[in-house]
Amino acid sequence: MSNPASDAPAGERDVALACAILKQRFGERLQTGKSIREQHGHTLSWLPNQPPDAVIFANDSQDVADIVSVCAEHKCPVIAFGVGSSLEGHLNAPQGGVCIDMSQMNQVLEVQADDLSVRVQPGVTRKALNTYLRDTGLFFPIDPGADASLGGMAATRASGTNAVRYGTMKDNVLSLRAVMADGREINTASRAKKTSAGYDLTRLLVGSEGTLGIITELTVKLHGIPESIAGGVCHFPDVESACRATIQTIQYGIPIARIELLDVSQVIASNAYSKLGLKELPTMFVEFHGSDSATAEQSELFGEIVRDCGGSDFEWTKDEAARNKLWQARHDAYWAARQMRPEAEAVITDACVPISRLADCVEETRKDIEANNFLAPMVGHVGDGNFHTMVLIDMNSPKEVAAAKEFSERLSARAIAMGGTCTGEHGVGQGKTRYLRDELGDTVDFMAMIKQAFDPDNILNPGKIF
Amino acid sequence: MSNPASDAPAGERDVALACAILKQRFGERLQTGKSIREQHGHTLSWLPNQPPDAVIFANDSQDVADIVSVCAEHKCPVIAFGVGSSLEGHLNAPQGGVCIDMSQMNQVLEVQADDLSVRVQPGVTRKALNTYLRDTGLFFPIDPGADASLGGMAATRASGTNAVRYGTMKDNVLSLRAVMADGREINTASRAKKTSAGYDLTRLLVGSEGTLGIITELTVKLHGIPESIAGGVCHFPDVESACRATIQTIQYGIPIARIELLDVSQVIASNAYSKLGLKELPTMFVEFHGSDSATAEQSELFGEIVRDCGGSDFEWTKDEAARNKLWQARHDAYWAARQMRPEAEAVITDACVPISRLADCVEETRKDIEANNFLAPMVGHVGDGNFHTMVLIDMNSPKEVAAAKEFSERLSARAIAMGGTCTGEHGVGQGKTRYLRDELGDTVDFMAMIKQAFDPDNILNPGKIF
């Protein structure tokens, strides 16, 4: 099976003509300045910038359909842009083309409180949504590190610290509207909580990274804000005992809402950046959601498990300010890590393995980091078997760049060998294409068949996934 | 877009030659007797029987790959059979062909206790799996009425009474192995709990009803058996107050495990069949899973909500025998209903709507039943907005059959108009093809593109979904 990215050679494309036609239609809403183009190719990734030829600010789904229709006619690549917090080069334009900036499509369209769902435009960010919802008693739980847009989060199948309890975007999207490569807008599913009505196009578009359709509207699940939230910190002599405590907690059926591991290097970084004063040991941030008595009971029970596994006392609190400080520090882990070497770039890995193999995978990776003398703090969504190392490298040193690439390659191979994946929540983008076939073999051919069927001219975000 | 079912006319197929070749390969494991063929086209559905030309009992995935390869060469239809509990004619062979009986592929291959998952062959039934797991402290929660096979449950995206807490098959399959139409066996995903590694082929195959690939192995999630289970019964003056209580319970964040509604007619049926002695009012069966104190707290809280909504006292217990009697009765609802008119067939509907519209949908449906003088008990997975009516009709009365078809059509239209679906958990099969486009419009074209790409000769379960 050939690579769909090569099926429509750039030579046949007429990007300039498409842009000229779109300029007539969109006027000042189509921008071609160098800095705006570079900004729209830019992500939090270390991959080199490949700007699009033009950026158009869409106001509604009709704009998106019009842009895609013109681009389809001229085989011009189209890339959707949320806030630019992707980590795998999803927004780069290796074959040029048009970037559709979705930030103006930022309306919350309808809160369906009785159904615990909300209909939003794709440019709404997770924080904006929760601010909008603050009087409803409901919240949207998915929390990647950045304040990402919901469209972007769906496109990359994002998750975050709450996933152990609330799942990922895969689990929290009820239905999508999307403009397909032929310009048609489709609705992937009804609003029903369950459905067996044909192929699951909702889950097919979630995680398709803009290569099968451009998301123009989402209906996502909401959850009641828990009556009580308890959380706290504990530390462990080593990563293995932390993993053992996690496995026991989940097996016991304690409905833990967040369980995050920081390695010693990250604790040092976060102590400095977020003024935490934590002991320099593998450390866990934990949270429970439920009734007042349930969260207390769960905290006590978890504390017993931690002690059984050789960990410290589990210090927990229901105090909101203390909890917020902790979780702000967790979400700032990326910036804390970067502060350890401010002039460096961070290469962020995203391995995810069956939880039974997490301690092994983390330990081998730790040894690899030490053998290479990397500065590479590590954080883990330990309840899901997913962890990130942030390898801080000098992009002007070819030696460091090469070493980091080889490290990333070894880590992907290690995770795959343990029955895991090279990407738990960041997506394939440009950065992981080389590992996808290692992980899934011929299965990638069937993904490519879908791409070929839906987008035969390969105009939607070309050069990604495949 | 043309209907894929018509793309490969039956005339080009050479079913007889495929069967002859397979007979050489499989000997006595290939059966062509009339009764065995009819039994393999038969389901719990009222749709007329369309038997395959041959039935082959597969021992392993190599058998399945061999059968599909021969059938692919001769464009012979292939239909996978689990236990035959489908309700929408999924197992019928309208174009003839070969049925692969998966019942011999019934091994539990590996319990991965630390990962809360298990690897099984597709012929393992849900009850057999839970029997196998009984010493592990783990269980598999998905419970359609029948003791279905896991392969069949995945293929139809099945769920049941536990779905409100544990989700459907979509949420509980980690990865699948499947033989595709070209005879290749693929693995849809790693064993990692989370993944962003390309298109979600796991979720694409779940619910694809054997039309995209034949499932040869599943890795599914397990859950810890709760420390404590509390459950009980309450009744309501009307369906609307029952629905209001359900909405409030979910909004409040009470992690209810099961919440099932029986209408008056079903209560009468279950009283007679299961000797329950319940008041003849809309009745709810409810269950909570958690710690001893949590389930007690939840039961009390739920009782308050029920009273606030005008319901009865909520009588609950932790006694296992009492709970088992209740849930056996719930799973026997189908047989209890049929006992009301033993000579009749049951036309089972499967509408699912946003929970905010459930009371309206049930009420309008109830009026429709009364206007038609149907005997049609109703049960509802009320936490998911999904309910089933069992219309008992005399299949020898063309008038009754026509009236039931029209009723089913009105119900599907009603659910769709309310933002819901014509099928919450039974699938499309042959029975719901006519409603799929009403529900999803052009979206069906994109489903058909996938079918066309994966199975261009339309050999896999032709005549279903499309």
Side-chain angles (χ1 to χ4, degrees), chain B residues 27-209:
Chain B
E28 285 308 300
R29 286 202 280 140
L30 183 149
Q31 296 282 323
T32 53
K34 184 162 181 279
S35 76
I36 207 164
R37 289 190 297 109
E38 282 182 353
Q39 179 216 326
H40 281 79
H42 180 75
T43 63
L44 292 179
S45 148
W46 62 310
L47 296 161
N49 190 259
Q50 297 167 314
D53 292 280
V55 176
I56 306 178
F57 291 82
N59 286 339
D60 52 36
S61 64
Q62 188 59 55
D63 283 350
V64 177
D66 290 351
I67 295 165
V68 172
S69 296
V70 169
C71 288
E73 199 174 332
H74 301 284
K75 300 188 180 175
C76 171
V78 192
I79 302 150
F81 179 98
V83 307
S85 57
S86 147
L87 289 161
E88 295 294 354
H90 291 100
L91 303 171
N92 264 338
Q95 304 179 21
V98 172
C99 172
I100 309 181
D101 184 307
M102 313 295 275
S103 61
Q104 306 302 306
M105 291 177 65
N106 61 356
Q107 297 302 301
V108 176
L109 299 170
E110 186 186 7
V111 177
Q112 299 141 343
D114 280 355
D115 298 315
L116 271 71
S117 60
V118 64
R119 201 157 58 81
V120 300
Q121 289 187 315
V124 173
T125 69
R126 65 177 182 88
K127 286 186 185 173
L129 176 57
N130 280 323
T131 301
Y132 187 96
L133 293 170
R134 66 180 170 241
D135 299 327
T136 64
L138 303 172
F139 79 113
F140 177 71
I142 315 296
D143 64 337
D147 186 20
S149 70
L150 268 74
M153 288 167 64
T156 52
R157 204 182 292 124
S159 52
T161 69
N162 281 309
V164 64
R165 166 123 181 200
Y166 298 95
T168 74
M169 285 303 280
K170 146 175 96 57
D171 308 297
N172 284 279
V173 175
L174 270 176
S175 73
L176 295 171
R177 294 186 69 86
V179 170
M180 309 304 277
D182 62 5
R184 278 192 286 179
E185 190 181 22
I186 65 167
N187 181 25
T188 58
S190 75
R191 288 212 296 120
K193 224 177 119 183
K194 284 191 334 194
T195 176
S196 284
Y199 304 157
D200 190 346
L201 292 192
T202 309
R203 248 54 55 182
L204 182 64
L205 285 180
V206 170
S208 65
E209 307 186 4

Side-chain angles (χ1 to χ4, degrees), chain A residues 113-116 137-138 156-160 163-165 168 170-171 180-182 184-201 203-204 206-209 211-212 221 223-225 227 247 250-253 255 291-294 297-298 301 350 352-357 381 383-386 418-428 436 439-440 442-451 453-454 465-466, chain B residues 113-116 137-138 156-160 163-165 168 170-171 180-182 184-201 203-204 206-209 211-212 221 223-225 227 247 250-253 255 291-294 297-298 301 350 352-357 381 383-386 418-428 436 439-440 442-451 453-454 465-466:
Chain A
D114 279 354
D115 298 314
L116 272 72
L138 302 172
T156 54
R157 206 181 291 123
S159 52
V164 65
R165 167 124 181 198
T168 73
K170 146 175 96 57
D171 307 297
M180 309 305 277
D182 61 6
R184 277 192 288 178
E185 191 180 22
I186 65 167
N187 181 27
T188 57
S190 76
R191 290 211 294 121
K193 226 177 120 186
K194 286 191 334 195
T195 174
S196 283
Y199 303 159
D200 190 346
L201 292 190
R203 250 52 58 184
L204 183 63
V206 170
S208 66
E209 306 186 5
T211 65
L212 295 181
K221 289 187 198 172
H223 300 263
I225 294 175
E227 175 194 332
I247 290 172
I250 293 172
Q251 277 188 332
Y252 204 86
S291 72
D292 216 42
S293 59
E297 183 185 34
Q298 290 160 21
L301 209 55
D350 184 30
C352 186
V353 294
I355 196 169
S356 60
R357 304 307 307 276
H381 308 302
D384 297 318
N386 184 207
M418 291 182 178
T421 175
C422 63
T423 175
E425 56 183 11
H426 294 168
V428 178
L436 192 62
E439 184 174 326
L440 294 174
D442 284 1
T443 306
V444 180
D445 293 346
F446 289 86
M447 296 183 187
M449 285 180 204
I450 299 171
K451 172 67 174 170
F454 280 18
I465 300 185
F466 304 103
Chain B
D114 280 355
D115 298 315
L116 271 71
L138 303 172
T156 52
R157 204 182 292 124
S159 52
V164 64
R165 166 123 181 200
T168 74
K170 146 175 96 57
D171 308 297
M180 309 304 277
D182 62 5
R184 278 192 286 179
E185 190 181 22
I186 65 167
N187 181 25
T188 58
S190 75
R191 288 212 296 120
K193 224 177 119 183
K194 284 191 334 194
T195 176
S196 284
Y199 304 157
D200 190 346
L201 292 192
R203 248 54 55 182
L204 182 64
V206 170
S208 65
E209 307 186 4
T211 64
L212 296 180
K221 291 187 196 171
H223 300 263
I225 294 175
E227 177 194 332
I247 292 173
I250 293 172
Q251 278 187 332
Y252 204 86
S291 71
D292 217 43
S293 59
E297 183 185 34
Q298 290 159 22
L301 209 54
D350 183 31
C352 186
V353 294
I355 195 169
S356 61
R357 303 307 308 277
H381 308 302
D384 295 320
N386 185 205
M418 290 183 178
T421 174
C422 63
T423 174
E425 56 182 10
H426 295 168
V428 177
L436 192 63
E439 182 174 328
L440 293 172
D442 284 1
T443 305
V444 180
D445 293 347
F446 290 86
M447 296 182 188
M449 285 181 204
I450 299 171
K451 171 68 175 171
F454 281 19
I465 299 185
F466 303 103

